[in-house]
Amino acid sequence: MDELDAEIIRLLQTDARQSNRELARRLGVAPSTCLERVRSLTRRGVIRGYHADVDLAALNRGVQALVSIQVRPLSRPVIVRFKEEVSVLPEVLSAFVLAGGDDFVLHVAVQDLDRLHAFLLDELSKRKEIAGFRTSVIFQSTRNPVVGRLPETAGAASAPD
Amino acid sequence: MDELDAEIIRLLQTDARQSNRELARRLGVAPSTCLERVRSLTRRGVIRGYHADVDLAALNRGVQALVSIQVRPLSRPVIVRFKEEVSVLPEVLSAFVLAGGDDFVLHVAVQDLDRLHAFLLDELSKRKEIAGFRTSVIFQSTRNPVVGRLPETAGAASAPD
DNA sequence: ACTGAAAATCTACGCTC
DNA sequence: GAGCGTAGATTTTCAGT
């Protein structure tokens, strides 16, 4: 993971469909070199795939929400099963298993508030393992297009207290 | 947005780097037709871009958390400014502006728990507009690779009560 | 929406450092 | 081992239909 790899990752996060040639030009290396680097990153699992970013509103999924959920009993089989079942629901964009007050957070996207309500009632309320949940409608969301290495925070690495 | 468009979107969400030719083959249309469809979807803003999916652990960002935040006063300038400033922090993957008990949720990824603690203390605690926040470490997260049209929920559209 | 052909790109392989 | 240049295969792209 040298500087060149980091730059490749940055550029492919910005635009995954640019040609290998273009990528090589921006990096100042030969296309064949660039190709080998990208393959290596893919082989090593650093690059996991390439995905189109789609406008949710255009898919009639303009209403998003975060749903915080507590499940009981808080046992491994219940958590594993709940996570698996809920992850595949079409309304769910992503699911988080958490430490702390809430056990799960679901990021959901649906057509409108009626559908959100229906989802909560039909998919969540009926589940016996759910001890409670709280829904927050999302007004806005922003996503950082590029995930890079973090800058070293001065002192944190070398001088723990 | 006919069936062909929907299928293109599905395939490009799964693998954004497959060739136009491959895409066309899977759809059973000519490459030129497929290309024009993809361009149209891009022009209309349905496809917003293509991004590489990178393993956060490989970038030394293996620790993720959701941070729920309340800000005061809850006025437009405070919200807008907070959102803009926080969105560009390198630790922040995405930021949500919410309705409900919490005003913001930040999805953050950092190297380790020390860095998470440092982020909370150095970036959040010092902000005067923050009235309180709660941090939940993420044990696991799953993401739905394909966002599609939602199935019609029987009765919901045609027979509201 | 398809066909065909020209331009651009991809990528395997042998070479140099 | 890592990067480069080249050449043959593949793909993109845009007429014309």
Side-chain angles (χ1 to χ4, degrees):
Chain A
M1 275 294 292
D2 59 7
E3 194 51 46
L4 194 56
D5 283 339
E7 189 67 2
I8 287 173
I9 286 168
R10 195 181 70 75
L11 289 169
L12 285 179
Q13 281 184 92
T14 306
D15 176 10
R17 278 208 87 144
Q18 62 191 301
S19 70
N20 180 61
R21 203 180 170 73
E22 175 72 4
L23 204 54
R25 195 188 59 74
R26 288 182 206 231
L27 295 168
V29 299
S32 52
T33 302
C34 187
L35 184 65
E36 179 47 33
R37 288 291 193 129
V38 172
R39 280 189 179 156
S40 172
L41 286 167
T42 305
R43 255 197 321 271
R44 288 184 279 154
V46 179
I47 295 175
R48 307 211 287 197
Y50 306 93
H51 306 288
D53 173 20
V54 176
D55 181 23
L56 288 173
L59 292 176
N60 278 317
R61 315 256 312 235
V63 172
Q64 295 178 55
L66 295 181
V67 186
S68 309
I69 302 172
Q70 289 139 310
V71 302
R72 293 295 178 274
L74 202 50
S75 63
R76 178 184 284 272
V78 169
I79 291 174
V80 169
R81 204 173 149 211
F82 182 77
K83 185 194 63 162
E84 285 171 359
E85 290 181 0
V86 101
S87 297
V88 300
L89 294 175
E91 293 88 352
V92 174
L93 301 182
S94 53
F96 300 96
V97 185
L98 301 183
D102 296 312
D103 305 313
F104 287 88
V105 164
L106 305 185
H107 184 188
V108 304
V110 292
Q111 184 168 140
D112 51 40
L113 285 174
D114 276 351
R115 305 298 177 104
L116 177 59
H117 198 191
F119 171 75
L120 297 173
L121 296 180
D122 298 337
E123 297 295 340
L124 297 188
S125 297
K126 73 179 184 192
R127 289 183 182 264
K128 292 193 175 57
E129 70 271 36
I130 293 188
F133 64 89
R134 199 165 44 84
T135 304
S136 300
V137 171
I138 297 173
F139 287 137
Q140 291 178 47
S141 67
T142 66
R143 209 182 141 187
N144 217 324
V146 174
V147 180
R149 270 239 168 84
L150 286 184
E152 289 292 322
T153 34
S158 54
D161 58 338
Chain B
M1 276 295 292
D2 59 7
E3 195 51 47
L4 194 57
D5 283 338
E7 190 66 2
I8 287 174
I9 287 169
R10 195 181 70 75
L11 289 169
L12 285 179
Q13 281 184 93
T14 305
D15 177 11
R17 274 201 85 126
Q18 61 192 302
S19 71
N20 180 62
R21 198 182 171 74
E22 175 72 5
L23 206 53
R25 195 189 58 75
R26 288 181 204 235
L27 295 167
V29 299
S32 54
T33 303
C34 187
L35 183 65
E36 179 46 34
R37 289 292 193 129
V38 172
R39 282 186 177 159
S40 172
L41 286 166
T42 304
R43 255 197 321 271
R44 288 185 280 154
V46 179
I47 295 175
R48 307 211 286 197
Y50 307 93
H51 306 289
D53 174 19
V54 176
D55 181 25
L56 287 174
L59 293 176
N60 279 315
R61 316 258 309 238
V63 172
Q64 295 179 54
L66 294 181
V67 187
S68 308
I69 302 172
Q70 289 139 310
V71 302
R72 293 294 178 276
L74 203 50
S75 62
R76 178 183 284 270
V78 169
I79 291 173
V80 169
R81 208 178 143 202
F82 183 77
K83 185 193 62 165
E84 285 172 0
E85 290 181 0
V86 103
S87 296
V88 300
L89 294 175
E91 293 88 351
V92 174
L93 300 181
S94 54
F96 300 96
V97 185
L98 301 183
D102 297 310
D103 306 312
F104 287 88
V105 163
L106 305 185
H107 183 188
V108 303
V110 293
Q111 183 167 138
D112 50 39
L113 285 175
D114 277 351
R115 305 301 177 101
L116 177 59
H117 198 190
F119 171 75
L120 297 173
L121 296 180
D122 298 338
E123 297 295 341
L124 296 188
S125 297
K126 72 179 186 191
R127 289 182 182 263
K128 292 194 176 56
E129 70 270 37
I130 293 188
F133 64 88
R134 198 165 44 85
T135 304
S136 300
V137 172
I138 297 173
F139 287 137
Q140 291 179 48
S141 65
T142 66
R143 212 183 138 187
N144 218 323
V146 174
V147 181
R149 270 236 167 88
L150 287 184
E152 290 291 323
T153 34
S158 54
D161 59 340

